[in-house]
Amino acid sequence: MARFNRLKQALSQLVHPKREPPIHEISNPALELAENFTGHYAFLDEQTNKSHQLIIGPDLTIKIDGRALPGQVIGVTTSALTFLDHYGFQLIITCEAGVPVSVYDEAEDATYQIITPE
């Protein structure tokens, strides 16, 4: 009898497999963290005395002065967003208390303070 019950249970799982939650119910931790960085900002290049616009999209796309920065996000935490550009240089946006505060540009070896909001 126990063997029959196990067979019945196995067949039931084949016919009625466990329901996976719909895609929209599954949270994506990276996109949840993205909320800390999403927005329009500006930063000042003190060497040229020029202000630059920085836009971080909800999908973690980055635009500087209206131009999309080609590359990809390689890390995101509550305190930093690390973007690798197509030349292999990192752009690290640092966040404190849920607000971006600085941008480090590895290509220039320079850190810029973010002006919030732009």
Side-chain angles (χ1 to χ4, degrees):
M1 185 68 152
R3 186 174 182 203
F4 174 75
N5 284 338
R6 282 187 296 214
L7 180 60
K8 181 180 170 187
Q9 186 179 26
L11 286 174
S12 175
Q13 288 177 351
L14 286 174
V15 175
H16 305 288
K18 285 186 175 180
R19 180 186 162 274
E20 294 294 325
I23 298 295
H24 67 277
E25 289 181 12
I26 300 173
S27 66
N28 182 335
L31 292 180
E32 289 178 19
L33 289 171
E35 292 177 8
N36 289 340
F37 299 93
T38 301
H40 294 240
Y41 309 98
F43 62 91
L44 179 66
D45 182 342
E46 292 179 2
Q47 288 187 340
T48 62
N49 204 29
K50 183 175 179 192
S51 178
H52 297 277
Q53 179 188 43
L54 171 68
I55 299 173
I56 305 171
D59 57 353
L60 298 178
T61 54
I62 296 178
K63 290 183 179 180
I64 296 179
D65 295 336
R67 292 184 301 199
L69 191 61
Q72 64 183 357
V73 171
I74 59 170
V76 61
T77 67
T78 55
S79 61
L81 169 68
T82 305
F83 185 88
L84 187 67
D85 72 16
H86 65 291
Y87 294 113
F89 291 105
Q90 292 184 0
L91 190 71
I92 302 171
I93 299 148
T94 304
C95 195
E96 292 178 4
V99 178
V101 294
S102 67
V103 178
Y104 170 72
D105 183 356
E106 183 180 34
E108 299 293 326
D109 192 27
T111 301
Y112 309 100
Q113 298 306 308
I114 291 179
I115 304 164
T116 308
E118 182 223 358

